[in-house]
PDB file of all heavy atoms in Angstrom:
ATOM      1  N   ALA L   1      24.568 -14.426  36.052  1.00  0.00           N
ATOM      2  CA  ALA L   1      25.338 -14.267  34.817  1.00  0.00           C
ATOM      3  C   ALA L   1      26.094 -12.941  34.799  1.00  0.00           C
ATOM      4  O   ALA L   1      27.191 -12.847  34.244  1.00  0.00           O
ATOM      5  CB  ALA L   1      24.414 -14.361  33.613  1.00  0.00           C
ATOM      6  N   LYS L   2      25.500 -11.926  35.420  1.00  0.00           N
ATOM      7  CA  LYS L   2      26.129 -10.609  35.458  1.00  0.00           C
ATOM      8  C   LYS L   2      26.864 -10.345  36.767  1.00  0.00           C
ATOM      9  O   LYS L   2      27.477  -9.292  36.933  1.00  0.00           O
ATOM     10  CB  LYS L   2      25.082  -9.521  35.244  1.00  0.00           C
ATOM     11  CG  LYS L   2      24.434  -9.542  33.868  1.00  0.00           C
ATOM     12  CD  LYS L   2      23.442  -8.397  33.720  1.00  0.00           C
ATOM     13  CE  LYS L   2      22.820  -8.404  32.337  1.00  0.00           C
ATOM     14  NZ  LYS L   2      21.823  -7.308  32.172  1.00  0.00           N
ATOM     15  N   ASN L   3      26.771 -11.284  37.697  1.00  0.00           N
ATOM     16  CA  ASN L   3      27.403 -11.113  39.013  1.00  0.00           C
ATOM     17  C   ASN L   3      26.884  -9.874  39.742  1.00  0.00           C
ATOM     18  O   ASN L   3      27.648  -9.109  40.351  1.00  0.00           O
ATOM     19  CB  ASN L   3      28.930 -11.036  38.889  1.00  0.00           C
ATOM     20  CG  ASN L   3      29.610 -12.323  39.333  1.00  0.00           C
ATOM     21  OD1 ASN L   3      29.046 -13.406  39.201  1.00  0.00           O
ATOM     22  ND2 ASN L   3      30.805 -12.207  39.860  1.00  0.00           N
ATOM     23  N   ILE L   4      25.589  -9.680  39.683  1.00  0.00           N
ATOM     24  CA  ILE L   4      24.968  -8.512  40.317  1.00  0.00           C
ATOM     25  C   ILE L   4      23.749  -8.952  41.122  1.00  0.00           C
ATOM     26  O   ILE L   4      23.008  -9.841  40.701  1.00  0.00           O
ATOM     27  CB  ILE L   4      24.539  -7.460  39.274  1.00  0.00           C
ATOM     28  CG1 ILE L   4      25.751  -6.907  38.544  1.00  0.00           C
ATOM     29  CG2 ILE L   4      23.787  -6.314  39.946  1.00  0.00           C
ATOM     30  CD1 ILE L   4      25.401  -5.891  37.480  1.00  0.00           C
ATOM     31  N   ALA L   5      23.554  -8.297  42.258  1.00  0.00           N
ATOM     32  CA  ALA L   5      22.351  -8.467  43.056  1.00  0.00           C
ATOM     33  C   ALA L   5      21.635  -7.124  43.156  1.00  0.00           C
ATOM     34  O   ALA L   5      22.256  -6.068  43.013  1.00  0.00           O
ATOM     35  CB  ALA L   5      22.700  -8.972  44.450  1.00  0.00           C
ATOM     36  N   TYR L   6      20.327  -7.212  43.379  1.00  0.00           N
ATOM     37  CA  TYR L   6      19.525  -5.999  43.422  1.00  0.00           C
ATOM     38  C   TYR L   6      18.619  -6.002  44.654  1.00  0.00           C
ATOM     39  O   TYR L   6      18.240  -7.058  45.161  1.00  0.00           O
ATOM     40  CB  TYR L   6      18.632  -5.899  42.177  1.00  0.00           C
ATOM     41  CG  TYR L   6      19.377  -5.909  40.876  1.00  0.00           C
ATOM     42  CD1 TYR L   6      19.483  -7.075  40.123  1.00  0.00           C
ATOM     43  CD2 TYR L   6      19.974  -4.756  40.386  1.00  0.00           C
ATOM     44  CE1 TYR L   6      20.167  -7.087  38.918  1.00  0.00           C
ATOM     45  CE2 TYR L   6      20.657  -4.754  39.175  1.00  0.00           C
ATOM     46  CZ  TYR L   6      20.748  -5.928  38.453  1.00  0.00           C
ATOM     47  OH  TYR L   6      21.431  -5.929  37.262  1.00  0.00           O
ATOM     48  N   LEU L   7      18.267  -4.821  45.069  1.00  0.00           N
ATOM     49  CA  LEU L   7      17.217  -4.655  46.077  1.00  0.00           C
ATOM     50  C   LEU L   7      16.299  -3.546  45.579  1.00  0.00           C
ATOM     51  O   LEU L   7      16.684  -2.374  45.582  1.00  0.00           O
ATOM     52  CB  LEU L   7      17.796  -4.304  47.443  1.00  0.00           C
ATOM     53  CG  LEU L   7      16.773  -4.239  48.580  1.00  0.00           C
ATOM     54  CD1 LEU L   7      16.222  -5.642  48.872  1.00  0.00           C
ATOM     55  CD2 LEU L   7      17.387  -3.644  49.852  1.00  0.00           C
ATOM     56  N   GLN L   8      15.123  -3.937  45.115  1.00  0.00           N
ATOM     57  CA  GLN L   8      14.124  -2.967  44.679  1.00  0.00           C
ATOM     58  C   GLN L   8      13.343  -2.524  45.901  1.00  0.00           C
ATOM     59  O   GLN L   8      12.758  -3.357  46.597  1.00  0.00           O
ATOM     60  CB  GLN L   8      13.192  -3.595  43.646  1.00  0.00           C
ATOM     61  CG  GLN L   8      12.075  -2.681  43.181  1.00  0.00           C
ATOM     62  CD  GLN L   8      12.583  -1.507  42.369  1.00  0.00           C
ATOM     63  OE1 GLN L   8      13.445  -1.653  41.513  1.00  0.00           O
ATOM     64  NE2 GLN L   8      12.034  -0.317  42.642  1.00  0.00           N
ATOM     65  N   MET L   9      13.318  -1.228  46.126  1.00  0.00           N
ATOM     66  CA  MET L   9      12.663  -0.679  47.314  1.00  0.00           C
ATOM     67  C   MET L   9      11.558   0.265  46.878  1.00  0.00           C
ATOM     68  O   MET L   9      11.821   1.292  46.244  1.00  0.00           O
ATOM     69  CB  MET L   9      13.683   0.056  48.183  1.00  0.00           C
ATOM     70  CG  MET L   9      14.884  -0.790  48.552  1.00  0.00           C
ATOM     71  SD  MET L   9      15.960  -0.001  49.751  1.00  0.00           S
ATOM     72  CE  MET L   9      16.495   1.425  48.817  1.00  0.00           C
ATOM     73  N   ASN L  10      10.327  -0.102  47.195  1.00  0.00           N
ATOM     74  CA  ASN L  10       9.165   0.710  46.853  1.00  0.00           C
ATOM     75  C   ASN L  10       8.489   1.226  48.114  1.00  0.00           C
ATOM     76  O   ASN L  10       8.733   0.724  49.207  1.00  0.00           O
ATOM     77  CB  ASN L  10       8.168  -0.112  46.037  1.00  0.00           C
ATOM     78  CG  ASN L  10       8.745  -0.615  44.730  1.00  0.00           C
ATOM     79  OD1 ASN L  10       9.601   0.031  44.120  1.00  0.00           O
ATOM     80  ND2 ASN L  10       8.289  -1.770  44.287  1.00  0.00           N
ATOM     81  N   SER L  11       7.635   2.214  47.940  1.00  0.00           N
ATOM     82  CA  SER L  11       6.871   2.784  49.070  1.00  0.00           C
ATOM     83  C   SER L  11       7.788   3.112  50.235  1.00  0.00           C
ATOM     84  O   SER L  11       7.506   2.757  51.387  1.00  0.00           O
ATOM     85  CB  SER L  11       5.775   1.792  49.504  1.00  0.00           C
ATOM     86  OG  SER L  11       4.914   1.494  48.439  1.00  0.00           O
ATOM     87  N   LEU L  12       8.858   3.791  49.942  1.00  0.00           N
ATOM     88  CA  LEU L  12       9.861   4.067  50.966  1.00  0.00           C
ATOM     89  C   LEU L  12       9.316   4.983  52.049  1.00  0.00           C
ATOM     90  O   LEU L  12       8.491   5.881  51.784  1.00  0.00           O
ATOM     91  CB  LEU L  12      11.115   4.655  50.325  1.00  0.00           C
ATOM     92  CG  LEU L  12      11.996   3.613  49.642  1.00  0.00           C
ATOM     93  CD1 LEU L  12      12.928   4.247  48.639  1.00  0.00           C
ATOM     94  CD2 LEU L  12      12.785   2.821  50.678  1.00  0.00           C
ATOM     95  N   LYS L  13       9.802   4.742  53.261  1.00  0.00           N
ATOM     96  CA  LYS L  13       9.371   5.486  54.444  1.00  0.00           C
ATOM     97  C   LYS L  13      10.582   6.127  55.112  1.00  0.00           C
ATOM     98  O   LYS L  13      11.711   5.661  54.935  1.00  0.00           O
ATOM     99  CB  LYS L  13       8.703   4.530  55.435  1.00  0.00           C
ATOM    100  CG  LYS L  13       7.533   3.749  54.868  1.00  0.00           C
ATOM    101  CD  LYS L  13       7.023   2.749  55.893  1.00  0.00           C
ATOM    102  CE  LYS L  13       5.851   1.951  55.341  1.00  0.00           C
ATOM    103  NZ  LYS L  13       5.346   0.975  56.339  1.00  0.00           N
ATOM    104  N   PRO L  14      10.363   7.155  55.905  1.00  0.00           N
ATOM    105  CA  PRO L  14      11.500   7.767  56.612  1.00  0.00           C
ATOM    106  C   PRO L  14      12.290   6.768  57.443  1.00  0.00           C
ATOM    107  O   PRO L  14      13.522   6.889  57.557  1.00  0.00           O
ATOM    108  CB  PRO L  14      10.822   8.817  57.494  1.00  0.00           C
ATOM    109  CG  PRO L  14       9.598   9.197  56.742  1.00  0.00           C
ATOM    110  CD  PRO L  14       9.120   7.932  56.097  1.00  0.00           C
ATOM    111  N   GLU L  15      11.615   5.776  58.001  1.00  0.00           N
ATOM    112  CA  GLU L  15      12.321   4.783  58.815  1.00  0.00           C
ATOM    113  C   GLU L  15      13.197   3.849  57.999  1.00  0.00           C
ATOM    114  O   GLU L  15      13.938   3.039  58.571  1.00  0.00           O
ATOM    115  CB  GLU L  15      11.335   3.982  59.673  1.00  0.00           C
ATOM    116  CG  GLU L  15      10.180   3.400  58.899  1.00  0.00           C
ATOM    117  CD  GLU L  15       8.939   4.270  58.986  1.00  0.00           C
ATOM    118  OE1 GLU L  15       9.051   5.515  58.848  1.00  0.00           O
ATOM    119  OE2 GLU L  15       7.834   3.701  59.165  1.00  0.00           O
ATOM    120  N   ASP L  16      13.133   3.934  56.684  1.00  0.00           N
ATOM    121  CA  ASP L  16      14.042   3.163  55.830  1.00  0.00           C
ATOM    122  C   ASP L  16      15.384   3.866  55.648  1.00  0.00           C
ATOM    123  O   ASP L  16      16.306   3.301  55.048  1.00  0.00           O
ATOM    124  CB  ASP L  16      13.420   2.930  54.454  1.00  0.00           C
ATOM    125  CG  ASP L  16      12.170   2.073  54.518  1.00  0.00           C
ATOM    126  OD1 ASP L  16      12.163   1.078  55.266  1.00  0.00           O
ATOM    127  OD2 ASP L  16      11.191   2.400  53.815  1.00  0.00           O
ATOM    128  N   THR L  17      15.493   5.066  56.143  1.00  0.00           N
ATOM    129  CA  THR L  17      16.745   5.815  56.023  1.00  0.00           C
ATOM    130  C   THR L  17      17.877   5.085  56.737  1.00  0.00           C
ATOM    131  O   THR L  17      17.777   4.749  57.918  1.00  0.00           O
ATOM    132  CB  THR L  17      16.586   7.219  56.623  1.00  0.00           C
ATOM    133  OG1 THR L  17      15.641   7.953  55.841  1.00  0.00           O
ATOM    134  CG2 THR L  17      17.909   7.964  56.640  1.00  0.00           C
ATOM    135  N   ALA L  18      18.955   4.821  55.995  1.00  0.00           N
ATOM    136  CA  ALA L  18      20.082   4.064  56.535  1.00  0.00           C
ATOM    137  C   ALA L  18      21.150   3.947  55.458  1.00  0.00           C
ATOM    138  O   ALA L  18      20.911   4.268  54.284  1.00  0.00           O
ATOM    139  CB  ALA L  18      19.644   2.674  56.979  1.00  0.00           C
ATOM    140  N   VAL L  19      22.302   3.457  55.869  1.00  0.00           N
ATOM    141  CA  VAL L  19      23.293   2.991  54.906  1.00  0.00           C
ATOM    142  C   VAL L  19      22.984   1.527  54.630  1.00  0.00           C
ATOM    143  O   VAL L  19      22.815   0.737  55.569  1.00  0.00           O
ATOM    144  CB  VAL L  19      24.726   3.150  55.445  1.00  0.00           C
ATOM    145  CG1 VAL L  19      25.728   2.591  54.437  1.00  0.00           C
ATOM    146  CG2 VAL L  19      25.020   4.610  55.751  1.00  0.00           C
ATOM    147  N   TYR L  20      22.897   1.180  53.373  1.00  0.00           N
ATOM    148  CA  TYR L  20      22.561  -0.178  52.958  1.00  0.00           C
ATOM    149  C   TYR L  20      23.813  -0.891  52.453  1.00  0.00           C
ATOM    150  O   TYR L  20      24.567  -0.339  51.652  1.00  0.00           O
ATOM    151  CB  TYR L  20      21.500  -0.148  51.862  1.00  0.00           C
ATOM    152  CG  TYR L  20      20.117   0.125  52.416  1.00  0.00           C
ATOM    153  CD1 TYR L  20      19.776   1.395  52.881  1.00  0.00           C
ATOM    154  CD2 TYR L  20      19.156  -0.875  52.499  1.00  0.00           C
ATOM    155  CE1 TYR L  20      18.521   1.649  53.405  1.00  0.00           C
ATOM    156  CE2 TYR L  20      17.889  -0.629  53.014  1.00  0.00           C
ATOM    157  CZ  TYR L  20      17.584   0.642  53.477  1.00  0.00           C
ATOM    158  OH  TYR L  20      16.343   0.887  54.001  1.00  0.00           O
ATOM    159  N   TYR L  21      23.981  -2.121  52.937  1.00  0.00           N
ATOM    160  CA  TYR L  21      25.144  -2.919  52.597  1.00  0.00           C
ATOM    161  C   TYR L  21      24.707  -4.239  51.960  1.00  0.00           C
ATOM    162  O   TYR L  21      23.728  -4.845  52.406  1.00  0.00           O
ATOM    163  CB  TYR L  21      25.938  -3.268  53.851  1.00  0.00           C
ATOM    164  CG  TYR L  21      26.446  -2.084  54.638  1.00  0.00           C
ATOM    165  CD1 TYR L  21      25.660  -1.494  55.617  1.00  0.00           C
ATOM    166  CD2 TYR L  21      27.726  -1.578  54.413  1.00  0.00           C
ATOM    167  CE1 TYR L  21      26.127  -0.411  56.356  1.00  0.00           C
ATOM    168  CE2 TYR L  21      28.205  -0.504  55.146  1.00  0.00           C
ATOM    169  CZ  TYR L  21      27.393   0.068  56.110  1.00  0.00           C
ATOM    170  OH  TYR L  21      27.867   1.134  56.837  1.00  0.00           O
ATOM    171  N   CYS L  22      25.468  -4.696  50.991  1.00  0.00           N
ATOM    172  CA  CYS L  22      25.278  -6.070  50.531  1.00  0.00           C
ATOM    173  C   CYS L  22      26.416  -6.924  51.090  1.00  0.00           C
ATOM    174  O   CYS L  22      27.492  -6.409  51.427  1.00  0.00           O
ATOM    175  CB  CYS L  22      25.210  -6.157  49.018  1.00  0.00           C
ATOM    176  SG  CYS L  22      26.697  -5.651  48.140  1.00  0.00           S
ATOM    177  N   ALA L  23      26.146  -8.207  51.195  1.00  0.00           N
ATOM    178  CA  ALA L  23      27.108  -9.122  51.787  1.00  0.00           C
ATOM    179  C   ALA L  23      26.961 -10.497  51.160  1.00  0.00           C
ATOM    180  O   ALA L  23      25.886 -10.850  50.657  1.00  0.00           O
ATOM    181  CB  ALA L  23      26.887  -9.198  53.296  1.00  0.00           C
ATOM    182  N   LEU L  24      28.042 -11.257  51.199  1.00  0.00           N
ATOM    183  CA  LEU L  24      28.054 -12.606  50.642  1.00  0.00           C
ATOM    184  C   LEU L  24      28.338 -13.644  51.726  1.00  0.00           C
ATOM    185  O   LEU L  24      29.144 -13.400  52.627  1.00  0.00           O
ATOM    186  CB  LEU L  24      29.134 -12.739  49.567  1.00  0.00           C
ATOM    187  CG  LEU L  24      29.037 -11.851  48.340  1.00  0.00           C
ATOM    188  CD1 LEU L  24      30.115 -12.258  47.337  1.00  0.00           C
ATOM    189  CD2 LEU L  24      27.664 -11.919  47.706  1.00  0.00           C
ATOM    190  N   GLU L  25      27.691 -14.773  51.582  1.00  0.00           N
ATOM    191  CA  GLU L  25      27.888 -15.908  52.483  1.00  0.00           C
ATOM    192  C   GLU L  25      28.073 -17.142  51.620  1.00  0.00           C
ATOM    193  O   GLU L  25      27.304 -17.367  50.695  1.00  0.00           O
ATOM    194  CB  GLU L  25      26.664 -16.024  53.377  1.00  0.00           C
ATOM    195  CG  GLU L  25      26.749 -17.103  54.456  1.00  0.00           C
ATOM    196  CD  GLU L  25      26.242 -18.443  53.997  1.00  0.00           C
ATOM    197  OE1 GLU L  25      25.143 -18.499  53.429  1.00  0.00           O
ATOM    198  OE2 GLU L  25      26.964 -19.442  54.188  1.00  0.00           O
ATOM    199  N   PRO L  26      29.117 -17.946  51.890  1.00  0.00           N
ATOM    200  CA  PRO L  26      29.452 -19.040  50.961  1.00  0.00           C
ATOM    201  C   PRO L  26      28.544 -20.261  51.059  1.00  0.00           C
ATOM    202  O   PRO L  26      29.016 -21.380  51.131  1.00  0.00           O
ATOM    203  CB  PRO L  26      30.894 -19.379  51.340  1.00  0.00           C
ATOM    204  CG  PRO L  26      30.992 -19.024  52.791  1.00  0.00           C
ATOM    205  CD  PRO L  26      30.120 -17.829  52.962  1.00  0.00           C
ATOM    206  N   ASN L  27      27.244 -20.038  51.090  1.00  0.00           N
ATOM    207  CA  ASN L  27      26.274 -21.111  50.929  1.00  0.00           C
ATOM    208  C   ASN L  27      26.506 -22.271  51.896  1.00  0.00           C
ATOM    209  O   ASN L  27      26.491 -23.444  51.496  1.00  0.00           O
ATOM    210  CB  ASN L  27      26.301 -21.616  49.479  1.00  0.00           C
ATOM    211  CG  ASN L  27      25.062 -22.402  49.117  1.00  0.00           C
ATOM    212  OD1 ASN L  27      23.978 -22.160  49.631  1.00  0.00           O
ATOM    213  ND2 ASN L  27      25.218 -23.362  48.230  1.00  0.00           N
ATOM    214  N   ARG L  28      26.716 -21.928  53.160  1.00  0.00           N
ATOM    215  CA  ARG L  28      26.995 -22.977  54.148  1.00  0.00           C
ATOM    216  C   ARG L  28      25.797 -23.904  54.341  1.00  0.00           C
ATOM    217  O   ARG L  28      25.956 -25.063  54.701  1.00  0.00           O
ATOM    218  CB  ARG L  28      27.399 -22.347  55.478  1.00  0.00           C
ATOM    219  CG  ARG L  28      28.742 -21.638  55.434  1.00  0.00           C
ATOM    220  CD  ARG L  28      29.128 -21.120  56.803  1.00  0.00           C
ATOM    221  NE  ARG L  28      30.453 -20.513  56.799  1.00  0.00           N
ATOM    222  CZ  ARG L  28      30.675 -19.234  56.591  1.00  0.00           C
ATOM    223  NH1 ARG L  28      29.653 -18.425  56.376  1.00  0.00           N
ATOM    224  NH2 ARG L  28      31.905 -18.749  56.601  1.00  0.00           N
ATOM    225  N   ILE L  29      24.615 -23.378  54.150  1.00  0.00           N
ATOM    226  CA  ILE L  29      23.410 -24.209  54.233  1.00  0.00           C
ATOM    227  C   ILE L  29      22.755 -24.134  52.859  1.00  0.00           C
ATOM    228  O   ILE L  29      21.989 -23.216  52.570  1.00  0.00           O
ATOM    229  CB  ILE L  29      22.446 -23.715  55.318  1.00  0.00           C
ATOM    230  CG1 ILE L  29      23.174 -23.588  56.652  1.00  0.00           C
ATOM    231  CG2 ILE L  29      21.246 -24.640  55.425  1.00  0.00           C
ATOM    232  CD1 ILE L  29      22.331 -23.018  57.766  1.00  0.00           C
ATOM    233  N   PRO L  30      23.030 -25.107  52.008  1.00  0.00           N
ATOM    234  CA  PRO L  30      22.539 -25.041  50.626  1.00  0.00           C
ATOM    235  C   PRO L  30      21.035 -24.861  50.539  1.00  0.00           C
ATOM    236  O   PRO L  30      20.279 -25.500  51.267  1.00  0.00           O
ATOM    237  CB  PRO L  30      22.976 -26.392  50.039  1.00  0.00           C
ATOM    238  CG  PRO L  30      24.170 -26.775  50.836  1.00  0.00           C
ATOM    239  CD  PRO L  30      23.874 -26.289  52.240  1.00  0.00           C
ATOM    240  N   GLY L  31      20.629 -23.950  49.686  1.00  0.00           N
ATOM    241  CA  GLY L  31      19.207 -23.741  49.462  1.00  0.00           C
ATOM    242  C   GLY L  31      18.533 -22.823  50.442  1.00  0.00           C
ATOM    243  O   GLY L  31      17.341 -22.553  50.310  1.00  0.00           O
ATOM    244  N   MET L  32      19.289 -22.324  51.407  1.00  0.00           N
ATOM    245  CA  MET L  32      18.706 -21.474  52.441  1.00  0.00           C
ATOM    246  C   MET L  32      19.422 -20.130  52.476  1.00  0.00           C
ATOM    247  O   MET L  32      20.479 -19.949  51.887  1.00  0.00           O
ATOM    248  CB  MET L  32      18.834 -22.148  53.802  1.00  0.00           C
ATOM    249  CG  MET L  32      18.210 -23.513  53.888  1.00  0.00           C
ATOM    250  SD  MET L  32      16.416 -23.457  53.773  1.00  0.00           S
ATOM    251  CE  MET L  32      16.033 -22.722  55.359  1.00  0.00           C
ATOM    252  N   CYS L  33      18.823 -19.187  53.185  1.00  0.00           N
ATOM    253  CA  CYS L  33      19.521 -17.944  53.486  1.00  0.00           C
ATOM    254  C   CYS L  33      18.971 -17.390  54.799  1.00  0.00           C
ATOM    255  O   CYS L  33      17.854 -17.732  55.200  1.00  0.00           O
ATOM    256  CB  CYS L  33      19.384 -16.914  52.351  1.00  0.00           C
ATOM    257  SG  CYS L  33      17.752 -16.154  52.183  1.00  0.00           S
TER     258      CYS L  33
END
């Protein structure tokens, strides 16, 4: 409804350091990702 996605990240570790990207895929396989 808001056209927003989230990624909640808890218990973060040094190895999680990175640039994080979101991306869209036009549902080529319905119901899957």
Side-chain angles (χ1 to χ4, degrees):
K2 295 182 179 179
N3 255 31
I4 296 179
Y6 302 99
L7 185 68
Q8 177 68 43
M9 306 188 297
N10 299 329
S11 302
L12 282 160
K13 304 175 180 180
E15 51 263 44
D16 296 318
T17 295
V19 177
Y20 283 72
Y21 301 88
C22 63
L24 299 186
E25 184 271 311
N27 198 31
R28 292 184 176 92
I29 307 176
M32 303 292 289
C33 72

